[in-house]
Amino acid sequence: MLLLIFWSISIGWGLERAVGYTIEPETVTSTPTEVIASMDPVSKRYKLGKDLYLENCSACHIALPPEVLPTETWRRLLLEPQEHYGTQLRRLLGPSLLLTWQYLRDFSRPHNKDEEVPYRMTQSRYFNALHPRVKIPRPFGVKTCVTCHPGVANYDYRTLTPEWQDAP
């Protein structure tokens, strides 16, 4: 019994060290090379999860910032890869899944229990709140983002085209 308890504590401690979970706030520092391929700099704790997210998602389409969709949408997309907009995805396993989930969970927004889980950006109240003056074209696809955000290929949604530079 003592061996089982010791083994469990060791595994928990090892996972905590591997994931880098810490209660203290971390400062985010970035150099110009770290800002490339990043919407916002993230602490070391989230860097691998963000890198895994970008590697897996931007291989097929533009990677969206986690803030655009609620946490529940990201959870379902990760747990149900067979229902990814008509495409069967390779399932993330083990640490890759946990690290990607930690990044998406902590940078996404809460989901209200009384609303449907949005699976399209245009259905997300967060997307609409971030784009109050934008007339969303129909049909809409993630490639439409490039029209106003020319840096999306580098995961840069902060840089805007000149017509939107000073837009509130």
Side-chain angles (χ1 to χ4, degrees), residues 49-110:
K50 183 183 100 179
D51 291 347
L52 287 165
Y53 166 69
L54 290 173
E55 177 184 320
N56 285 284
C57 298
S58 66
C60 297
H61 57 77
I62 294 169
L64 300 173
E67 298 88 348
V68 171
L69 295 168
T71 308
E72 182 61 18
T73 302
W74 293 115
R75 187 186 73 77
R76 289 187 185 182
L77 288 172
L78 284 175
L79 293 178
E80 300 166 1
Q82 69 279 6
E83 297 179 28
H84 193 78
Y85 308 105
T87 304
Q88 172 95 25
L89 299 179
R90 179 180 57 90
R91 182 181 287 272
L92 291 175
L93 299 172
S96 295
L97 177 63
L98 292 173
L99 291 167
T100 304
W101 169 239
Q102 182 181 29
Y103 168 68
L104 292 171
R105 180 196 64 209
D106 291 358
F107 284 91
S108 61
R109 300 170 189 262

Side-chain angles (χ1 to χ4, degrees), residues 60-62 121 140-147 152:
C60 297
H61 57 77
I62 294 169
M121 287 186 306
F140 180 84
V142 289
K143 291 183 179 177
T144 307
C145 301
V146 177
T147 306
V152 295

Side-chain angles (χ1 to χ4, degrees), residues 7 9 12 15 17 32 34-35 37 40 46-47 49 58 60 63 85 92 108 122 124 127 134 138 142 154 158:
W7 182 80
I9 291 171
L15 283 173
R17 301 278 295 166
E34 290 173 328
V35 175
D40 291 319
Y46 297 105
K47 182 160 180 16
S58 66
C60 297
Y85 308 105
L92 291 175
S108 61
T122 55
S124 169
F127 175 82
V134 178
R138 303 282 186 231
V142 289
N154 291 325
R158 298 249 182 239

